[in-house]
Amino acid sequence: MRRQTFKALLSLFVILLLFSGTFTAFAAPGGEEYPLPRNAVLYSELEEQLKALEAKNPALMNYEVIGRSVEGRDLYLVTISDEQGMKNLEKYKSFMQDAVNQPEKARQALKNNDMRIPVFFNASIHGNETTGTDGVLKLIQTLLTDQSAETKKIMKNCVVLINVCQNPDGRAAGHRENASGTDLNRDYITQSQPEVKAVVNHIATQWFPTAMLDIHGFMGSGNVLLEPCTIPHNPNYEYDLSLKYSLPHAEAIASAITALTKRDVDIPLKVWEDGWDDYPPIFTPQYFMYLGSIGHTLEVKFPNQQGIDTAYAACYASLKYLSANKNSLLDNQFQIYERGVKGLSVETDITFPEAYLIPMDSGRQQDTLQATKMIGHLLENKIVVKKADQAFTADGTEYPAGTYVIPMKQGLRGLVNTMLWKGEDVSLLTEAMYDISAYSFPQLCGFDAVAVNKPFTAQLSAAAEVAAPTGSMSDQAVANYVIPVENNDAYRVANTLVKEGISVYRMSADNGQYPPGTFVIPAKKEVDVMLRHLAAQYAVTVQGMDKIEGKLLPVKLQKTAVLGNDGGVVTMMKELGFDVTAVPYYKINNGYDLEKNGFTHMVISGTQSFWDDSYEATGVTWSLDEVGQKEIIDFAKSHDFIGVGYAGAKVNEAAGKLQVKYKFTGSESDGQTAENGICIINSEPNDPVTYSYGSEETVFAYGPVWFDSVSGKAAVAATFGNENLYLAGFWKDPAEAAGAPVILRDTNTAYDAVLFGIEPTFRSYTPATFGLMANALYYLGYDE
């Protein structure tokens, strides 16, 4: 139902743009900006607009740059309150920070102190959903100039925080995602993108807003859409407290929108059974809910002045409601924290552990690099982390000094658990999910976190920071240096060396303690110096070795185009040093030639909706159209490629490379269904695509694809597990894929091709399987 509705609204969006009259274009420093209707503000005009607004009443507003986008554009935070409020911003901010773990004290203070309620409006996180930015500019104008008693009350009771344009690169390009190809509204728990990090670091964990509104556009029913959401609700929320005010807040906003537009507002919780859920912690409002906020997504109906006015009306109505109910809302937020601090449980479908332990010793920790990154991530999100000063025993197991302890009796208990738990199977709870249904940092990142269920005693100190692990290097004189793949830093070091012109190889056979895939660097004086520097910087083990058995495979970095709606391929492979570039679908649809632009290889990923969800009625699409498909297929016929998911299988089929058949959840006639989850695969450690991987590896599948009828032109590098292949998420019948091939490569000397039925770099969520994509990129460069 939602896909059909979205198509109808997008068609309407295109028609409105075609007939809305004059458009504005501007030659920006980074190139010409995407034209917008003349009543919309170009990104390049924003700072001028903000300066002019601030000049109207500088005592009531300030704006600051809180970060920069992937392409270097500024992110602007506007803060507004009355004169007294603006003079005391640090006081209000400190009060909210202290309330997280001292909620009882904060609740008492509400009875005596005149605190302000922090409110956050996030505009245009999707670059082509433009009206949010223009709507908040109108709101700023009103708050600074309107002298009505109503507005004065809002200014007296609220601190208004406005992220004017969450996705500058997307607005400038007319593109939903940011410049790395990442959907920012899927990144809030991961925080892989600079635009998201800026909001988390400067707004979310500084102000802990009591309410927030994330302003989107043109995707909903025939009416405006405003959350709260349908089932299932994540049990890590304190949902009863959240709903107590989120629903009346939404109803107040809906009334204002209806009064303005004469149109109904659909609140999913009230009008639908399922399909618009708030289960995953990846979305902006849902992340803020874990901070105690009442969070909403707003989908305005039109990409025109009415859409701008709808966004404005929603924000102003929100402020009216919040101002009128200030102390009750703050007290409700502090009750969420209080449940965590006191260990109170109301939800019946979850039991929180006493603590999580993240050991750092090699006997208990499979990946100290990812474990260290997790500790840093927890601290950045203002989660209480402690470190053991001495050895201690918990749940009958002894842990050494240096083990990190994350106590669950803290204000952000729900955020801790949604980050560190193993997830659950929601397939029996609902018939439809909107997006992913499982998220677990330990399982997706590949580090060990232990849930301790019984109280224990340990001497602990507060952890304020965590040092990145470093490596080591042997001093012996040898013919070769070797670096086993112990973590993702091995790829980073290898690629750094290649970029410096140093020859790097991979073992293709076992060499004692060193398995296939181990990096080999012939020893030279300049190599020794560089390796020592890198070993002091990265968590790699550099050893010496003279004689090496088996063929050595040369490591090459190819100029690779990345197409799809993943985002993780470019972000994470570029971070590891690969030469990868995001090529948006709209460029391909408009005649962009991959070969003429210097690309020699390609990664294509995506579900069925990315491959062929086109809109013939208007000739415009948010996915690949016939022109884009043809360019990709023609390129795949004559170039090496990696195909991921449904789109990858379709490209392979059309290009005639690997002779296999594929299956997926759903059907060609009814469409691919949204099954997804944390799964198990069994890999062949001697295959070049699955070097350093073995049996019972944890992976993530989104719109899973699997293969059969594999011909002699393809080798099976991994299969889904036979039993218990599915650990958590939403997959109605995982048994249909049990034991089936899920990673393939060619066996042909004329070309290289790799197919993944799982998502090895999905949205940057999955560091444990980044190595699979890295292996595949190297494989495309091997001489056969």
Side-chain angles (χ1 to χ4, degrees):
M1 178 173 111
R2 293 166 79 171
R3 288 181 61 196
Q4 293 173 346
T5 302
F6 180 44
K7 289 184 179 181
L9 280 177
L10 187 60
S11 299
L12 178 59
F13 168 64
V14 174
I15 293 168
L16 285 165
L17 288 181
L18 291 173
F19 294 101
S20 60
T22 304
F23 293 83
T24 304
F26 185 85
E32 188 171 290
E33 290 186 67
Y34 185 81
L36 300 175
R38 63 183 178 186
N39 58 338
V41 177
L42 294 170
Y43 170 80
S44 56
E45 300 169 333
L46 278 180
E47 186 170 17
E48 181 183 344
Q49 291 267 335
L50 294 174
K51 285 180 179 178
L53 286 167
E54 186 180 42
K56 292 178 183 292
N57 206 331
L60 306 185
M61 167 190 164
N62 66 41
Y63 77 92
E64 59 186 306
V65 174
I66 58 171
R68 288 182 173 82
S69 67
V70 170
E71 292 185 334
R73 295 182 173 88
D74 291 339
L75 289 139
Y76 299 108
L77 169 63
V78 170
T79 305
I80 298 176
S81 191
D82 66 8
E83 287 193 40
Q84 186 66 22
M86 295 301 290
K87 291 176 182 177
N88 288 282
L89 292 179
E90 289 303 316
K91 170 187 170 183
Y92 304 137
K93 189 190 298 184
S94 295
F95 176 72
M96 296 303 296
Q97 292 173 4
D98 292 344
V100 174
N101 285 303
Q102 300 177 58
E104 195 168 13
K105 180 180 177 182
R107 293 184 70 189
Q108 287 296 321
L110 286 177
K111 299 175 182 178
N112 306 312
N113 295 329
D114 182 26
M115 288 299 156
R116 308 293 172 106
I117 185 168
V119 186
F120 175 44
F121 298 119
N122 198 45
S124 298
I125 193 168
H126 293 142
N128 56 1
E129 298 171 12
T130 55
T131 52
T133 291
D134 300 288
V136 297
L137 290 173
K138 184 176 179 180
L139 176 71
I140 295 168
Q141 168 86 12
T142 297
L143 295 178
L144 295 180
T145 61
D146 182 33
Q147 296 301 309
S148 69
E150 193 170 71
T151 297
K152 287 182 178 179
K153 182 180 179 182
I154 288 170
M155 298 289 280
K156 178 177 174 58
N157 288 323
C158 302
V159 174
V160 184
L161 307 160
I162 301 172
N163 185 18
V164 179
C165 183
Q166 166 81 93
N167 187 354
D169 298 344
R171 189 176 185 87
H175 189 212
R176 174 184 173 91
E177 288 82 17
N178 74 345
S180 73
T182 297
D183 185 335
L184 297 177
N185 199 37
R186 306 295 187 273
D187 191 55
Y188 259 84
I189 198 73
T190 316
Q191 298 158 24
S192 71
Q193 301 301 305
E195 299 93 338
V196 171
K197 289 178 181 177
V199 173
V200 170
N201 293 338
H202 294 276
I203 302 172
T205 61
Q206 291 296 309
W207 279 100
F208 293 91
T210 306
M212 71 84 59
L213 191 63
D214 198 31
I215 309 168
H216 293 249
F218 336 128
M219 181 183 175
S221 67
N223 300 319
V224 173
L225 182 146
L226 178 64
E227 294 171 352
C229 296
T230 66
I231 61 167
H233 308 298
N234 197 304
N236 289 301
Y237 298 132
E238 303 295 336
Y239 201 76
D240 61 314
L241 291 177
S242 178
L243 190 61
K244 182 178 179 180
Y245 288 100
S246 65
L247 184 56
H249 181 226
E251 290 171 337
I253 296 171
S255 294
I257 293 173
T258 299
L260 171 72
T261 65
K262 310 304 179 188
R263 297 181 184 277
D264 291 335
V265 175
D266 285 342
I267 297 175
L269 180 70
K270 297 175 69 173
V271 300
W272 296 334
E273 290 185 7
D274 55 23
W276 193 286
D277 61 273
D278 52 14
Y279 190 88
I282 59 176
F283 303 119
T284 315
Q286 281 61 55
Y287 170 76
F288 275 85
M289 286 171 66
Y290 284 110
L291 304 182
S293 306
I294 55 173
H296 307 265
T297 294
L298 170 72
E299 300 276 0
V300 307
K301 184 174 175 61
F302 294 125
N304 59 5
Q305 188 61 46
Q306 186 180 101
I308 294 171
D309 292 343
T310 299
Y312 162 78
C315 293
Y316 192 83
S318 171
L319 290 172
K320 281 177 60 179
Y321 177 86
L322 298 170
S323 174
N325 297 278
K326 178 188 69 171
N327 275 24
S328 296
L329 283 155
L330 284 166
D331 186 69
N332 188 70
Q333 181 177 11
F334 300 159
Q335 286 183 62
I336 293 174
Y337 302 150
E338 192 169 42
R339 285 185 183 175
V341 169
K342 293 183 177 180
L344 305 175
S345 294
V346 174
E347 292 282 347
T348 58
D349 51 355
I350 191 168
T351 300
F352 294 108
E354 180 74 14
Y356 282 98
L357 309 181
I358 300 182
M360 301 302 289
D361 58 301
S362 58
R364 293 175 178 82
Q365 184 54 258
Q366 59 182 311
D367 193 332
T368 55
L369 175 63
Q370 291 303 322
T372 301
K373 288 185 175 183
M374 188 69 228
I375 297 300
H377 192 63
L378 293 167
L379 291 171
E380 287 167 2
N381 284 270
K382 299 301 186 285
I383 287 167
V384 176
V385 179
K386 297 182 180 293
K387 190 175 183 179
D389 300 322
Q390 300 176 356
F392 65 97
T393 299
D395 279 359
T397 300
E398 184 171 335
Y399 294 90
T403 298
Y404 286 94
V405 178
I406 302 91
M408 289 298 286
K409 288 183 179 177
Q410 59 173 297
L412 301 182
R413 174 181 66 177
L415 182 59
V416 175
N417 210 54
T418 208
M419 286 183 171
L420 296 178
W421 73 332
K422 293 183 177 180
E424 61 180 353
D425 183 2
V426 300
S427 302
L428 299 178
L429 303 180
T430 182
E431 291 301 314
M433 294 290 288
Y434 183 60
D435 204 276
I436 71 163
S437 312
Y439 201 110
S440 166
F441 275 96
Q443 294 193 93
L444 298 180
C445 297
F447 67 90
D448 292 294
V450 182
V452 175
N453 296 310
K454 297 178 181 178
F456 61 96
T457 301
Q459 186 172 322
L460 306 174
S461 298
E465 58 184 6
V466 59
T470 56
S472 62
M473 182 169 172
S474 170
D475 290 326
Q476 64 187 109
V478 290
N480 301 286
Y481 293 109
V482 295
I483 303 175
V485 181
E486 298 171 308
N487 55 55
N488 290 333
D489 271 2
Y491 302 105
R492 191 193 300 255
V493 168
N495 290 343
T496 300
L497 294 170
V498 171
K499 288 178 180 179
E500 292 296 322
I502 294 170
S503 297
V504 180
Y505 303 88
R506 303 193 80 182
M507 293 180 182
S508 64
D510 275 307
N511 279 264
Q513 63 180 310
Y514 299 112
T518 297
F519 290 102
V520 178
I521 306 98
K524 296 179 181 178
K525 183 177 181 181
E526 62 272 21
V527 172
D528 180 275
V529 173
M530 181 169 287
L531 276 174
R532 290 191 185 282
H533 172 75
L534 292 171
Q537 186 177 0
Y538 298 108
V540 293
T541 302
V542 184
Q543 296 288 345
M545 192 171 185
D546 286 317
K547 185 178 181 181
I548 296 174
E549 301 291 339
K551 182 180 179 180
L552 292 179
L553 304 172
V555 172
K556 299 178 182 178
L557 301 179
Q558 319 285 340
K559 185 175 181 181
T560 303
V562 179
L563 301 99
N565 49 13
D566 177 356
V569 180
V570 168
T571 299
M572 292 298 112
M573 292 302 102
K574 190 180 290 274
E575 186 174 293
L576 295 184
F578 289 92
D579 185 4
V580 290
T581 303
V583 181
Y585 65 85
Y586 63 84
K587 279 191 176 182
I588 296 291
N589 292 348
N590 284 283
Y592 185 87
D593 190 299
L594 294 172
E595 186 172 23
K596 288 182 179 178
N597 280 278
F599 292 105
T600 57
H601 298 76
M602 174 180 69
V603 179
I604 170 73
S605 68
T607 59
Q608 185 183 37
S609 63
F610 175 76
W611 178 249
D612 60 13
D613 201 6
S614 57
Y615 302 93
E616 292 82 2
T618 61
V620 177
T621 176
W622 66 290
S623 59
L624 293 169
D625 62 15
E626 291 181 359
V627 172
Q629 289 179 5
K630 185 177 185 303
E631 166 62 20
I632 290 170
I633 292 168
D634 287 347
F635 186 86
K637 287 178 178 178
S638 55
H639 297 77
D640 297 340
F641 74 94
I642 299 167
V644 183
Y646 180 95
K650 293 296 285 188
V651 170
N652 176 72
E653 181 181 56
K657 290 289 179 76
L658 305 187
Q659 302 301 306
V660 300
K661 294 182 180 179
Y662 62 93
K663 296 181 179 180
F664 57 93
T665 54
S667 65
E668 293 285 359
S669 58
D670 297 330
Q672 188 177 25
T673 53
E675 268 80 355
N676 65 89
I678 300 170
C679 302
I680 295 294
I681 65 170
N682 293 314
S683 306
E684 171 49 63
N686 294 315
D687 191 282
V689 178
T690 47
Y691 280 161
S692 80
Y693 292 87
S695 61
E696 297 188 2
E697 299 283 359
T698 303
V699 301
F700 192 84
Y702 184 78
V705 171
W706 57 98
F707 306 97
D708 65 6
S709 302
V710 179
S711 73
K713 288 188 176 182
V716 177
T719 60
F720 272 123
N722 287 305
E723 297 180 1
N724 302 320
L725 73 95
Y726 162 72
L727 302 178
F730 177 79
W731 193 345
K732 289 293 187 181
D733 186 18
E736 62 186 339
V742 70
I743 303 176
L744 305 179
R745 65 168 175 85
D746 72 278
T747 56
N748 194 311
T749 58
Y751 59 80
D752 291 325
V754 178
L755 293 180
F756 289 104
I758 51 123
E759 296 268 2
T761 58
F762 187 63
R763 297 177 182 167
S764 305
Y765 298 171
T766 57
T769 53
F770 290 169
L772 291 173
M773 181 60 72
N775 288 343
L777 288 168
Y778 288 144
Y779 175 74
L780 299 189
Y782 294 152
D783 297 322
E784 295 184 287

